[in-house]
Amino acid sequence: MKKIGFLSFGHWTSSSQSQARSAADVLLQSIDLAVEAERLGMDGAYFRVHHFARQLSSPFPLLAAVGARTRKIEIGTAVIDMRYENPHYMAEDAGAADLIAGSRLQLGISRGSPEQVIDGWRHFGYRLNEGEDDAAMGRRHSETFLELLGGKGFAKPNPRPMFANPPGLLRLEPFSASLRDRIWWGSATNATAVWAAKLGMNLQSSTLKFDESGEPLHIQQAAQIRAFRAAWAKAGHARVPRVSVSRSIFPLMNDLDRSYFGQDEEQTDQIGFLDSTTRAVFGRGYAAEPDVLIEQLRKDDAIAEADTILLTIPNQLGVAYNAHIMEATLTAVAPALGWR
């Protein structure tokens, strides 16, 4: 039994072939898509965050709106780029959105991916500490965020406040008591997966990973997940961690599916460079008739290791078509694999 969610990057373009032609389109359609996913029996609605791009960028208004329109589905991110975040303001936004949603947030955070602009986080007012790179800054912001979610008071109250204070040091409000256990780290390396386990975060492994062994992505991810779980056990955390992997999965059910994805050329992993020195492996897509698709997915070691699968969706094709993809996966693929 696995949880199955969708992951939207929230692209929009003015192209006449896109169903999402503006920021308003993609935001409103994201809400509608989460409602449809819940109706179909999906377990999660997840959204990617990119700054300075025609994509989703400010997650908490969207998460709160989805929380107000749904009742059961998990609502998450994969991922929020912590280089851009004020941990204190984020803790308040996250607490408010989680309370609106009835404690259904599953927040994926990370250092983030290559950007649209050079050092975009500088425009948000952030600077590196001495000897620090931007990845370390992202982890520093994350550790502060996690500490704030613990709810321990840290701020000395005004002796003459406008409103009466509870005794002792004050924490940020609104506070969601269980949110700390629902934070995930989007990891591209084995080392950061181990780091996340030590801090008690769940693990998100995407369709991209630093190439650390030359093996196919799914094999490297499976090893990463095992390293994460070993580090979790060693850290002695009381709860059982969760692990997700993201995949592009398209069951070819009709002629429209075949016209969109039947000639998909990304049926093998791709190798690329994130910068001049960082070699990465990008995961293959899966597009085939259901019986073929099932056999292909059986051989994916990382899916076998994970408890949650996030289906990356082509959001520009519109709500109705993406609901069709999700329904086809739930009915024609998932049961045969034991996901349902």
Side-chain angles (χ1 to χ4, degrees), residues 117-172:
V117 300
I118 297 171
D119 293 344
W121 39 270
R122 293 187 184 274
H123 296 287
F124 280 54
Y126 301 112
R127 296 292 181 268
L128 303 180
N129 288 342
E130 185 176 353
E132 187 178 54
D133 62 11
D134 65 330
M137 180 182 68
R139 291 192 293 273
R140 171 166 54 84
H141 287 181
S142 300
E143 290 176 351
T144 301
F145 177 61
L146 293 176
E147 184 176 358
L148 293 169
L149 291 185
K152 184 178 179 180
F154 62 91
K156 185 177 180 179
N158 188 333
R160 292 181 295 277
M162 181 177 294
F163 308 105
N165 283 321
L169 299 177
L170 301 183
R171 69 187 182 193
L172 293 173

Side-chain angles (χ1 to χ4, degrees), residues 33-337:
L33 188 57
V35 171
E36 277 296 287
E38 182 172 80
R39 181 186 67 80
L40 292 169
M42 294 282 284
D43 299 299
Y46 287 74
F47 304 96
R48 184 67 166 89
V49 176
H50 279 111
H51 298 285
F52 297 103
R54 292 186 175 186
Q55 296 175 239
L56 295 170
S57 61
S58 51
F60 292 107
L62 175 59
L63 296 174
V66 171
R69 287 280 307 277
T70 58
R71 293 292 176 267
K72 299 183 296 182
I73 197 168
E74 294 180 345
I75 308 164
T77 52
V79 290
I80 297 172
D81 187 334
M82 292 302 291
R83 294 173 297 179
Y84 286 79
E85 294 296 327
N86 177 320
H88 292 72
Y89 197 14
M90 182 176 172
E92 290 185 343
D93 278 354
D98 194 42
L99 293 175
I100 289 170
S103 300
R104 288 183 284 132
L105 256 58
Q106 302 284 342
L107 291 182
I109 64 176
S110 188
R111 171 255 189 217
S113 61
E115 303 178 85
Q116 297 296 107
V117 300
I118 297 171
D119 293 344
W121 39 270
R122 293 187 184 274
H123 296 287
F124 280 54
Y126 301 112
R127 296 292 181 268
L128 303 180
N129 288 342
E130 185 176 353
E132 187 178 54
D133 62 11
D134 65 330
M137 180 182 68
R139 291 192 293 273
R140 171 166 54 84
H141 287 181
S142 300
E143 290 176 351
T144 301
F145 177 61
L146 293 176
E147 184 176 358
L148 293 169
L149 291 185
K152 184 178 179 180
F154 62 91
K156 185 177 180 179
N158 188 333
R160 292 181 295 277
M162 181 177 294
F163 308 105
N165 283 321
L169 299 177
L170 301 183
R171 69 187 182 193
L172 293 173
E173 302 288 354
F175 176 68
S176 177
S178 63
L179 181 56
R180 173 64 177 81
D181 289 342
R182 289 178 276 116
I183 306 301
W184 305 58
W185 182 257
S187 176
T189 67
N190 291 3
T192 54
V194 169
W195 172 81
K198 291 177 180 177
L199 292 180
M201 288 186 280
N202 301 308
L203 177 66
Q204 289 180 338
S205 196
S206 185
T207 53
L208 176 155
K209 185 181 179 298
F210 290 10
D211 187 5
E212 298 183 88
S213 69
E215 297 171 295
L217 174 72
H218 73 104
I219 294 176
Q220 293 198 48
Q221 281 184 318
Q224 180 192 45
I225 293 168
R226 289 190 290 270
F228 167 80
R229 289 203 170 111
W232 184 280
K234 185 176 180 180
H237 302 302
R239 65 181 179 87
V240 177
R242 289 181 60 183
V243 175
S244 74
V245 294
S246 301
R247 291 290 185 269
S248 298
I249 299 174
F250 302 108
L252 303 182
M253 308 294 289
N254 55 40
D255 288 342
L256 184 59
D257 297 334
R258 284 183 278 273
S259 70
Y260 280 141
F261 303 108
Q263 304 301 317
D264 190 351
E265 297 178 354
E266 296 184 3
Q267 293 289 310
T268 59
D269 290 348
Q270 305 293 315
I271 298 295
F273 285 85
L274 299 180
D275 54 40
S276 60
T277 60
T278 307
R279 175 183 163 104
V281 54
F282 299 80
R284 57 165 295 182
Y286 291 95
E289 306 294 326
D291 56 340
V292 175
L293 197 57
I294 288 164
E295 293 309 310
Q296 291 176 339
L297 292 168
R298 286 190 200 279
K299 300 173 183 178
D300 191 308
D301 290 358
I303 289 179
E305 290 281 351
D307 58 75
T308 301
I309 301 166
L310 301 183
L311 307 176
T312 59
I313 60 165
N315 74 279
Q316 288 173 284
L317 294 181
V319 174
Y321 185 74
N322 280 288
H324 158 70
I325 293 172
M326 290 187 286
E327 185 171 25
T329 303
L330 289 174
T331 58
V333 176
L337 292 166

